[in-house]
Amino acid sequence: MRHVIALDVGGTGMKAALVGADGTLLHRARRATGRERGPDAVVEGILGFAAALRDHGVEHLGEPALAAGVAVPGVVDEARGTAVYAANLGWRDVPLRDLLGARLGVPVALGHDVRTGGLAEGRIGAGEGADRFLFVPLGTGIAGAIGIAGGVEAGAHGTAGEIGHIVVRPGGAPCPCGQRGCLERYASAAAVGEAWAAACGRADADAADCAAAVAAGDPDAVGVWRHAVDALADGLVTALTLLDPRTIVIGGGLAEAGETLFAPLREAVRRRVTFQALPPIVPAALGDTAGCLGAGLMAWDLLESTDRTEVTT
């Protein structure tokens, strides 16, 4: 059965799949990154995991994978196939595409984790059918993927879509990026959890606890939530002013609050727009499979582009 290898590498764990031509996940697996053993061990772990997936395909699907797609965090140079920088993994300028290609003997596509997840959401998820979309996952931080005509824009230097570092509160809370007042310091799941923990006096409280308290009508929780929603709305209006997306797709842990988030967010954005077209704001559809599905799409795209090149030459 024709298939490709898809790997989604996170800070602590890796999700993987063998993906059929129709997008079916034919086999799924997970492993730890092993980052506690250092950056070289993480790379070797990825290579070993990919090789094990290739062997599984030979044994259970009757043939090796035709290609591989890999999504990694941090700064990624997709054209060169290099993981430029990833703080959580200790990486600098790792030629991951070439290393995987040598180990597997097949073409390899390397992509940024959020852009890869956005690719999947845009083609087969909540943004399906939209020629322009913005994918914004609200997790420990806030990132973004700019979808254009079935692809995702990487930018001139591989950093397009970093909506979490739009300054929404000038002179505000310091951000690890070096600025003050960045969106992710107010509207990420981590920021909401931190604010709610301080408000309720429970060090272990998180964003999900805040959402539950908002649903129960707790006034302190409502205040924390409104502060986050207002900041997020400010960031989104800046983004839609620049990008004019057809759809905004919100994912990540904070989106799991459902209408507790989406109802006030839609209203806050609606109040802020003037001349801008107001796009639908919808929850992501693919959950934690988005990265693997997107990596699989990258691998199939690579094969299709290779086939076209061979035909034209």
Side-chain angles (χ1 to χ4, degrees):
M1 183 178 294
R2 287 166 52 88
H3 64 278
V4 297
I5 293 169
L7 273 167
D8 179 15
V9 179
T12 58
M14 299 183 283
K15 298 184 285 288
L18 298 179
V19 184
D22 62 352
T24 302
L25 299 178
L26 304 171
H27 169 69
R28 299 173 67 177
R30 293 177 182 251
R31 285 189 186 180
T33 59
R35 66 176 181 173
E36 68 280 358
R37 299 195 301 274
D40 291 342
V42 173
V43 173
E44 188 53 43
I46 293 170
L47 298 178
F49 197 12
L53 290 161
R54 177 197 58 201
D55 294 345
H56 183 93
V58 171
E59 181 178 354
H60 296 279
L61 300 177
E63 61 180 306
L66 298 170
V70 186
V72 298
V75 180
V76 181
D77 186 330
E78 294 166 355
R80 292 195 300 130
T82 302
V84 177
Y85 176 70
N88 287 342
L89 299 175
W91 283 352
R92 283 192 180 275
D93 296 318
V94 178
L96 196 55
R97 182 182 66 193
D98 290 346
L99 292 171
L100 276 163
R103 179 69 65 94
L104 299 173
V106 297
V108 176
L110 181 70
H112 180 269
D113 56 353
V114 173
R115 289 197 292 271
T116 302
L119 178 67
E121 284 289 352
R123 284 207 204 160
I124 59 176
E128 185 175 4
D131 57 342
R132 302 286 191 277
F133 70 91
L134 178 65
F135 171 56
V136 182
L138 309 174
T140 303
I142 298 177
I146 302 166
I148 302 173
V152 174
E153 173 59 40
H157 306 95
T159 58
E162 290 290 351
I163 185 176
H165 297 290
I166 289 175
V167 174
V168 294
R169 299 293 180 265
C175 179
C177 80
Q179 300 185 119
R180 302 184 70 92
C182 288
L183 175 60
E184 73 172 38
R185 295 298 298 123
Y186 299 93
S188 64
V192 172
E194 182 181 321
W196 177 233
C200 72
R202 286 177 38 220
D204 63 340
D206 61 16
D209 297 324
C210 185
V214 170
D218 185 298
D220 291 333
V222 169
V224 168
W225 200 257
R226 183 181 299 118
H227 186 61
V229 167
D230 283 345
L232 181 55
D234 288 340
L236 290 179
V237 170
T238 297
L240 70 88
T241 302
L242 291 170
L243 301 173
D244 189 22
R246 191 84 58 188
T247 303
I248 296 176
V249 179
I250 306 292
L254 210 60
E256 294 176 6
E259 286 304 298
T260 298
L261 172 67
F262 284 94
L265 178 60
R266 292 181 185 115
E267 176 58 21
V269 172
R270 186 196 64 76
R271 289 197 308 269
R272 285 163 170 78
V273 297
T274 54
F275 67 89
Q276 305 95 332
L278 181 62
I281 300 174
V282 301
L286 302 177
D288 71 353
T289 66
C292 271
L293 289 167
L297 288 170
M298 285 195 306
W300 284 113
D301 285 353
L302 182 60
L303 286 171
E304 289 179 9
S305 64
T306 302
D307 290 345
R308 284 197 297 269
T309 300
E310 289 175 352
V311 169
T312 57
T313 57

